[in-house]
Amino acid sequence: MTKRAYNFNAGPAALPLDVLQQAQAEFVDYRGIGMSIMEISHRSKEYEQVNDEAQSLMKELLGVPNGYEVLFLQGGASTQFAMIPMNYLQQGQAAGYVLTGSWADKALKEAKGIGETYVAGTGEASGFRRIPAPNEIEVRPNAAYIHITSNETIAGSQYAEYPDIGSVPLIADLSSDILCRPVDVSKFDFLYAGAQKNLGPSGVTVVIAKEGMLKDSPKGLPTMLRYDTHAKSKSLYNTPPVYSVYIVSLVLKWIKGLGGLEAMERLNHDKTKLIYDAIDGSGGFFEGLVDPGSRSLMNITFALGSDELEKKFIQEAEAAGFVGLKGHRDVGHMRASTYNAVPYESCKALAEFMQEFQRRNG
Ligand SMILES: *Cc1c(COP(=O)(O)O)cnc(C)c1O
């Protein structure tokens, strides 16, 4: 048996063991061709099959309606922060950004350099403990789009309910929670996610958008930064990140094999309940950093009474085989990332470790 760490890394993050083992088995000789998938043309029938399968499984799992396309791009979600305003923010319009934490803020900062923006809603007054409610989001008449961050990886918050904003395009960054639960894709005009949290390795970014959003990019934009370039060429305009897309295709098959997104959501709910219960049942020994209604299924943030105790917790957790529990340097404290591929057993072990730590130090 392979010894696997209790991996709570925030990103890049845990991948399913089954996927790693299948990739290992196919690494040197991909399905009998005598070469790895990395050593052949991205225009070969083998790779085209990988690309097609990843796109169609993504559509199937998310129940993507007709009239949407799935693209695989490069440059990470961070490049989308720029491409979105470059493609969709015109003179005379303003793009509305809902501020929920660090990632929303980065997306807004990037758009500010490209056109006019406004803050369409913010959780700042609560110290980002709370996601703004749908009726707290301001849609201006000249809004080019509204941008939201579905899951704030660093704060540990997630939308429980997405806003309905009428005919203005709704754009969402799902980098850290795509495929963690079913989503009504028809509410959105454009979704995107870097792969390295919940989909696979870094190197590929998924875009799911209405066909109309992927046509007629503004004149003068560089070829690689135009959505129409990638839509016209089935994401094969230039050499794609072949190995990343291949692993994503295996992860999608793994999710399908587990029963799809309803099953994934149940599992994530059961996993995170173990840890949230350890926080809530601690009588204040552990403190959750997000209000219960905005808590994330993917990143659980919590604190202890003092810096000293937190240091001790992280040291002892590391010694006990837990990886990645130190909070992001911007917020400190602790964070357990419980992405799809993190097994129930890891979460159970962490909840037990937390209770045991409290007994010894509470
Ligand atoms: C990790 C992350 C990003 C940045 O992704 P890159 O692929 O590194 O550019 C953006 N948004 C969210 C919500 C993230 O979690």
mmCIF file of all heavy atoms in Angstrom, residues 75-78 81 103 149 151 153 173 175-176 194 196-197, ligand 1:
data_model
loop_
_atom_site.group_PDB
_atom_site.id
_atom_site.type_symbol
_atom_site.label_atom_id
_atom_site.label_comp_id
_atom_site.label_asym_id
_atom_site.label_seq_id
_atom_site.Cartn_x
_atom_site.Cartn_y
_atom_site.Cartn_z
ATOM 1 N N GLY A 75 -2.421 30.045 -18.595
ATOM 2 C CA GLY A 75 -2.192 31.306 -17.892
ATOM 3 C C GLY A 75 -2.892 31.387 -16.541
ATOM 4 O O GLY A 75 -2.811 32.411 -15.864
ATOM 5 N N GLY A 76 -3.578 30.333 -16.143
ATOM 6 C CA GLY A 76 -4.208 30.314 -14.828
ATOM 7 C C GLY A 76 -5.439 31.217 -14.759
ATOM 8 O O GLY A 76 -5.736 31.976 -15.695
ATOM 9 N N ALA A 77 -6.135 31.125 -13.649
ATOM 10 C CA ALA A 77 -7.286 32.006 -13.428
ATOM 11 C C ALA A 77 -6.832 33.459 -13.454
ATOM 12 O O ALA A 77 -7.585 34.351 -13.852
ATOM 13 C CB ALA A 77 -7.943 31.671 -12.096
ATOM 14 N N SER A 78 -5.582 33.697 -13.066
ATOM 15 C CA SER A 78 -5.077 35.080 -13.027
ATOM 16 C C SER A 78 -5.095 35.733 -14.411
ATOM 17 O O SER A 78 -5.284 36.949 -14.512
ATOM 18 C CB SER A 78 -3.658 35.093 -12.462
ATOM 19 O OG SER A 78 -3.655 34.549 -11.161
ATOM 20 N N PHE A 81 -8.488 37.063 -15.068
ATOM 21 C CA PHE A 81 -8.756 38.357 -14.424
ATOM 22 C C PHE A 81 -8.562 39.502 -15.425
ATOM 23 O O PHE A 81 -9.237 40.516 -15.352
ATOM 24 C CB PHE A 81 -7.817 38.593 -13.223
ATOM 25 C CG PHE A 81 -8.024 37.667 -12.047
ATOM 26 C CD1 PHE A 81 -7.076 37.626 -11.023
ATOM 27 C CD2 PHE A 81 -9.146 36.874 -11.936
ATOM 28 C CE1 PHE A 81 -7.255 36.796 -9.919
ATOM 29 C CE2 PHE A 81 -9.332 36.024 -10.842
ATOM 30 C CZ PHE A 81 -8.379 35.992 -9.829
ATOM 31 N N TRP A 103 -9.192 36.988 -3.516
ATOM 32 C CA TRP A 103 -9.235 36.669 -4.949
ATOM 33 C C TRP A 103 -10.136 37.625 -5.697
ATOM 34 O O TRP A 103 -9.813 38.081 -6.801
ATOM 35 C CB TRP A 103 -9.622 35.208 -5.190
ATOM 36 C CG TRP A 103 -8.502 34.287 -4.823
ATOM 37 C CD1 TRP A 103 -8.490 33.357 -3.826
ATOM 38 C CD2 TRP A 103 -7.193 34.225 -5.428
ATOM 39 N NE1 TRP A 103 -7.266 32.730 -3.777
ATOM 40 C CE2 TRP A 103 -6.455 33.234 -4.734
ATOM 41 C CE3 TRP A 103 -6.569 34.902 -6.473
ATOM 42 C CZ2 TRP A 103 -5.129 32.918 -5.068
ATOM 43 C CZ3 TRP A 103 -5.256 34.590 -6.809
ATOM 44 C CH2 TRP A 103 -4.558 33.609 -6.113
ATOM 45 N N THR A 149 -16.842 35.779 -6.987
ATOM 46 C CA THR A 149 -15.871 34.728 -6.675
ATOM 47 C C THR A 149 -16.620 33.683 -5.857
ATOM 48 O O THR A 149 -16.949 33.926 -4.695
ATOM 49 C CB THR A 149 -14.692 35.329 -5.886
ATOM 50 O OG1 THR A 149 -14.194 36.453 -6.627
ATOM 51 C CG2 THR A 149 -13.585 34.304 -5.672
ATOM 52 N N ASN A 151 -16.018 30.891 -4.438
ATOM 53 C CA ASN A 151 -15.427 30.387 -3.196
ATOM 54 C C ASN A 151 -14.136 31.159 -2.947
ATOM 55 O O ASN A 151 -13.262 31.184 -3.808
ATOM 56 C CB ASN A 151 -15.137 28.885 -3.347
ATOM 57 C CG ASN A 151 -14.610 28.249 -2.068
ATOM 58 O OD1 ASN A 151 -15.366 27.950 -1.149
ATOM 59 N ND2 ASN A 151 -13.307 28.035 -1.988
ATOM 60 N N THR A 153 -10.933 31.128 -1.461
ATOM 61 C CA THR A 153 -9.994 30.100 -1.025
ATOM 62 C C THR A 153 -9.230 30.494 0.242
ATOM 63 O O THR A 153 -8.892 29.641 1.052
ATOM 64 C CB THR A 153 -8.993 29.885 -2.187
ATOM 65 O OG1 THR A 153 -9.707 30.000 -3.415
ATOM 66 C CG2 THR A 153 -8.331 28.538 -2.113
ATOM 67 N N ASP A 173 -15.763 33.288 -10.859
ATOM 68 C CA ASP A 173 -14.516 32.548 -10.661
ATOM 69 C C ASP A 173 -14.818 31.351 -9.756
ATOM 70 O O ASP A 173 -15.134 31.520 -8.585
ATOM 71 C CB ASP A 173 -13.502 33.501 -9.996
ATOM 72 C CG ASP A 173 -12.170 32.825 -9.666
ATOM 73 O OD1 ASP A 173 -12.015 31.615 -9.933
ATOM 74 O OD2 ASP A 173 -11.286 33.525 -9.118
ATOM 75 N N SER A 175 -12.603 28.831 -9.319
ATOM 76 C CA SER A 175 -11.319 28.120 -9.261
ATOM 77 C C SER A 175 -11.227 27.128 -8.113
ATOM 78 O O SER A 175 -10.632 26.067 -8.263
ATOM 79 C CB SER A 175 -10.165 29.119 -9.129
ATOM 80 O OG SER A 175 -10.039 29.874 -10.300
ATOM 81 N N SER A 176 -11.789 27.485 -6.970
ATOM 82 C CA SER A 176 -11.588 26.591 -5.825
ATOM 83 C C SER A 176 -12.839 25.820 -5.428
ATOM 84 O O SER A 176 -12.825 25.131 -4.407
ATOM 85 C CB SER A 176 -11.028 27.366 -4.628
ATOM 86 O OG SER A 176 -11.797 28.500 -4.362
ATOM 87 N N GLY A 194 -9.186 27.847 -12.603
ATOM 88 C CA GLY A 194 -7.866 27.231 -12.714
ATOM 89 C C GLY A 194 -7.991 25.803 -12.195
ATOM 90 O O GLY A 194 -8.789 25.525 -11.306
ATOM 91 N N GLN A 196 -5.926 23.678 -10.563
ATOM 92 C CA GLN A 196 -5.096 23.028 -9.531
ATOM 93 C C GLN A 196 -5.703 22.944 -8.132
ATOM 94 O O GLN A 196 -5.023 22.504 -7.213
ATOM 95 C CB GLN A 196 -3.722 23.700 -9.484
ATOM 96 C CG GLN A 196 -3.739 25.123 -8.955
ATOM 97 C CD GLN A 196 -4.020 26.157 -10.029
ATOM 98 O OE1 GLN A 196 -4.491 25.836 -11.098
ATOM 99 N NE2 GLN A 196 -3.736 27.403 -9.752
ATOM 100 N N LYS A 197 -6.976 23.344 -7.974
ATOM 101 C CA LYS A 197 -7.638 23.130 -6.686
ATOM 102 C C LYS A 197 -8.494 21.868 -6.753
ATOM 103 O O LYS A 197 -8.334 20.946 -5.977
ATOM 104 C CB LYS A 197 -8.530 24.298 -6.286
ATOM 105 C CG LYS A 197 -7.988 25.723 -6.067
ATOM 106 C CD LYS A 197 -6.560 25.961 -6.117
ATOM 107 C CE LYS A 197 -6.025 27.319 -5.758
ATOM 108 N NZ LYS A 197 -6.542 28.502 -6.389
HETATM 109 C C1 LIG B 1 -6.072 29.881 -6.829
HETATM 110 C C2 LIG B 1 -7.096 30.857 -7.237
HETATM 111 C C3 LIG B 1 -6.893 31.776 -8.287
HETATM 112 C C4 LIG B 1 -5.574 31.899 -9.010
HETATM 113 O O1 LIG B 1 -5.355 30.852 -9.832
HETATM 114 P P1 LIG B 1 -4.054 30.744 -10.776
HETATM 115 O O2 LIG B 1 -4.402 29.582 -11.630
HETATM 116 O O3 LIG B 1 -2.880 30.531 -9.884
HETATM 117 O O4 LIG B 1 -3.932 32.016 -11.541
HETATM 118 C C5 LIG B 1 -7.931 32.614 -8.635
HETATM 119 N N1 LIG B 1 -9.107 32.568 -7.996
HETATM 120 C C6 LIG B 1 -9.345 31.715 -6.978
HETATM 121 C C7 LIG B 1 -10.678 31.709 -6.310
HETATM 122 C C8 LIG B 1 -8.347 30.835 -6.575
HETATM 123 O O5 LIG B 1 -8.574 29.970 -5.563
#
